[in-house]
Each structure stands twice: as C-alpha cells, then as structure tokens.
Amino acid sequence: MAQIRAEEISEIIKKQLAGYETAVDVAEVGTVIETGDGIARIYGLEKAMAGELLEFPHEVFGMVLNLEEDNVGAVLLG
C-alpha cells in the first residue's frame, strides 16, 4: 500500500493553481414583453443605453431607441 505524502499533494495543487485562468462573461438579460411593427419592448435591461446594440435569439439584433422607466424599446434589425 503506497503512502500519500503531503508534499506530493501540495505540488499537485500548486501546479493546478498555476495553470488556473479566470474568465468572466457578464451579460444582462431581459425579457421581451411585446413585439409589433419591428419594435420590441424589453423588460429587465436597466443599464441599457440609447443606441446600444442588443442580441436576440436566432441571430436577430436590435437597437435601443426608447428608454422608459420600466422597459426599453428597440427596433429589430432582421
């Protein structure tokens, strides 16, 4: 039966930590509450700014044009 040494475990952990990289992907996600005539109303994008490009499912994009108190309006591009 082989003995596990603390030094071996320490070295393995140090090697794993040395190769550890952090990557953070931050995305703000909203909910489409209404669509019509190429315009989408989206709830939950509190940090959206006018002119900002939004990405929707199925490779559809939109541009924020209207900033309301509780939702944003975006024109759909495609």
Side-chain angles (χ1 to χ4, degrees):
M1 184 169 161
Q3 288 286 353
I4 299 175
R5 296 187 353 225
E7 298 84 29
E8 291 174 350
I9 294 172
S10 290
E11 284 303 313
I12 292 170
I13 292 173
K14 286 179 186 177
K15 286 178 185 176
Q16 289 179 347
L17 289 176
Y20 182 75
E21 294 180 26
T22 59
V24 177
D25 182 23
V26 178
E28 188 174 354
V29 178
T31 302
V32 176
I33 55 176
E34 180 182 8
T35 59
D37 295 329
I39 304 292
R41 292 253 169 230
I42 305 120
Y43 173 79
L45 298 179
E46 289 85 14
K47 296 179 184 175
M49 301 177 80
E52 184 174 353
L53 190 64
L54 303 176
E55 183 178 0
F56 294 89
H58 309 291
E59 299 181 15
V60 175
F61 291 89
M63 184 180 297
V64 177
L65 296 180
N66 230 20
L67 299 172
E68 304 289 330
E69 186 174 322
D70 59 346
N71 67 72
V72 300
V75 62
L76 299 175
L77 309 169

